[in-house]
Amino acid sequence: MEIFRTVEQLRQWSRAQRCDGGEGIALVPTMGALHAGHASLIRAAAEARPGRVAVSIFVNPTQFGPNEDFSKYPRMFNADCALAEREGATAIFAPSVEEMYPAGAATFVDVDGLSDRLDGKSRPGHFRGVATVVVKLLIAGEPDLAFFGQKDAAQVAVLRRMVEDLRLGAKIVVCPIVREADGLALSSRNTYLSAEERKQALVLSKAVRRVEELVASGERESAVLMEAARGMFGAEPAVRMDYIELVDWETLLPVLSATHGTLFAVAAWVGKTRLIDNTIIG
Ligand code: AMP
């Protein structure tokens, strides 16, 4: 497995891969601290493009707010490389902040409207940072497939819009949420949770499951579904709800009733840790 530190190295490697048969590489963008959720993305990428999978590991400063956890975000490069290689990665792209944001960097990508919804509402500037770093990664790596997790469903909506608007040519592949046995969605931030918070955090996946059950039993009205989810949070006073929403997965705008493809998403603070979870109504 090769490790690249510069955009030029990644680009040269990607172009060399493409030469032999025309098919390009698969890219899996991550911030590192890799877990089984990331592993599932890397495996899916390796199945689609065996031997041509780049995993980027970059804690992107522009997607963190001033009071967020950029400096304490978990960094474990060697363990990440081992996991990525085990799952079928053939290249790691781990640039410095200066490589991704040259001195004086002044170019950013704003996905109007979408960027201010769901997590974008609670984390102003977050999706601007995400869109900017992902466009840089797609331009650098020239993948024809880019893998993302449904775990960050609003991020997927923002990136799909951006890829379409900029005609970037990479296809976005979305992989299902990987969960712990008790339902908690895997997240690099779960390592912040104390034992007590870890228990309280289950309210997110429970709310998601409750909504899935209600939908399965025929309930479609957003107000009823959201009220049921809100009720579950009421039983867990230590958890501070950020949002509960039923939205169109393309526009992230609220819907009155859930239909096929509607996104039900929740975000909440457990202690100082902000967690998210969701389901797509199917
Ligand atoms: P991150 O390193 O948190 O930026 O995540 C990198 C990619 O992994 C994103 O596309 C995430 O949506 C995805 N991901 C994170 N957690 C999970 C999970 N539990 N299941 C599936 N994908 C995930």
Side-chain angles (χ1 to χ4, degrees):
M1 190 176 70
E2 308 207 54
I3 295 178
F4 303 124
R5 298 286 181 182
T6 70
V7 165
E8 201 44 43
Q9 288 169 335
L10 175 67
R11 183 172 292 145
Q12 292 309 328
W13 174 81
S14 171
R15 288 185 179 171
Q17 304 300 307
R18 191 181 284 278
C19 280
D20 51 11
E23 263 191 352
I25 66 156
L27 176 69
V28 184
T30 82
M31 297 205 300
L34 302 184
H35 50 61
H38 300 108
S40 74
L41 267 55
I42 300 169
R43 272 199 305 280
E47 237 167 71
R49 289 289 182 276
R52 300 172 209 198
V53 176
V55 174
S56 65
I57 298 177
F58 180 63
V59 186
N60 173 37
T62 64
Q63 71 188 68
F64 289 79
N67 299 316
E68 293 183 357
D69 54 343
F70 174 69
S71 56
K72 73 162 187 171
Y73 197 83
R75 289 161 172 91
M76 41 185 81
F77 186 65
N78 292 337
D80 287 348
C81 288
L83 181 148
E85 185 162 31
R86 218 166 41 234
E87 303 296 345
T90 40
I92 296 285
F93 178 51
S96 64
V97 171
E98 295 70 33
E99 177 67 11
M100 294 305 277
Y101 297 95
T107 308
F108 291 86
V109 176
D110 271 311
V111 181
D112 265 5
L114 282 174
S115 282
D116 302 325
R117 297 175 193 145
L118 300 190
D119 308 281
K121 195 156 154 197
S122 344
R123 304 180 68 190
H126 171 66
F127 284 134
R128 180 187 208 235
V130 169
T132 300
V133 80
V134 171
V135 84
K136 284 169 182 266
L137 292 170
L138 295 180
I139 291 172
E142 300 176 352
D144 43 34
L145 300 175
F147 286 75
F148 295 91
Q150 184 201 308
K151 161 85 188 327
D152 296 87
Q155 165 173 288
V156 166
V158 169
L159 296 178
R160 278 180 173 152
R161 185 73 258 165
M162 177 187 80
V163 164
E164 170 82 6
D165 289 353
L166 300 180
R167 302 280 190 221
L168 287 172
K171 180 170 178 270
I172 290 191
V173 184
V174 182
C175 298
I177 302 177
V178 177
R179 299 178 178 282
E180 303 276 12
D182 61 4
L184 182 70
L186 291 184
S187 162
S188 305
R189 291 190 167 97
N190 290 351
T191 56
Y192 300 154
L193 302 171
S194 68
E196 179 53 34
E197 289 168 346
R198 170 69 183 70
K199 280 187 215 148
Q200 295 165 358
L202 278 180
V203 66
L204 281 93
S205 54
K206 282 185 184 157
V208 165
R209 215 173 314 136
R210 180 82 191 112
V211 165
E212 286 174 341
E213 284 164 6
L214 285 169
V215 169
S217 73
E219 183 57 63
R220 295 277 151 163
E221 207 183 314
S222 291
V224 176
L225 296 170
M226 291 202 294
E227 202 39 50
R230 217 169 274 125
M232 317 258 326
F233 279 86
E236 202 61 81
V239 176
R240 188 160 55 86
M241 205 219 302
D242 179 1
Y243 67 69
I244 288 185
E245 302 229 35
L246 266 154
V247 297
D248 178 296
W249 195 12
E250 193 179 324
T251 62
L252 301 182
L253 288 170
V255 294
L256 286 176
S257 85
T259 54
H260 187 81
T262 298
L263 166 65
F264 170 74
V266 296
W269 290 93
V270 183
K272 289 191 159 76
T273 307
R274 186 176 175 280
L275 300 176
I276 57 176
D277 203 340
N278 70 80
T279 185
I280 308 293
I281 308 299

